[in-house]
Amino acid sequence: MKINNYGVNAVNPYKNQPVKSDFANKSVANKADQLEISSAAKDLQGIVSYADERAERVQALKAQIQEGNYKVDAKQVASDLLKYYRP
């Protein structure tokens, strides 16, 4: 059995779109891409510089823990928890 497209017009909506003028193309060509970095991203870029200081701090804390000299300040922990959970 052979079925043809009888009575159905082949519709291509892309052929019916109007052609853009040269003026519209020129205005698009004058625009340039821009990149803007937010202040939050700029702040995050500065974190890399603290890597050495952080590594030294971690080593000092590890040494205190191994020697048994490290003590937790319970009041400081409690106040930090309150600051975190109560904006």
Side-chain angles (χ1 to χ4, degrees), residues 19-55:
V19 178
K20 294 183 180 179
S21 66
D22 290 335
F23 179 74
N25 292 335
K26 287 181 183 177
S27 65
V28 173
N30 291 337
K31 294 182 181 179
D33 291 338
Q34 293 181 351
L35 174 67
E36 294 182 21
I37 299 175
S38 67
S39 60
K42 289 178 183 176
D43 291 341
L44 289 174
Q45 288 177 343
I47 291 176
V48 176
S49 65
Y50 299 117
D52 295 333
E53 295 173 12
R54 184 180 173 125

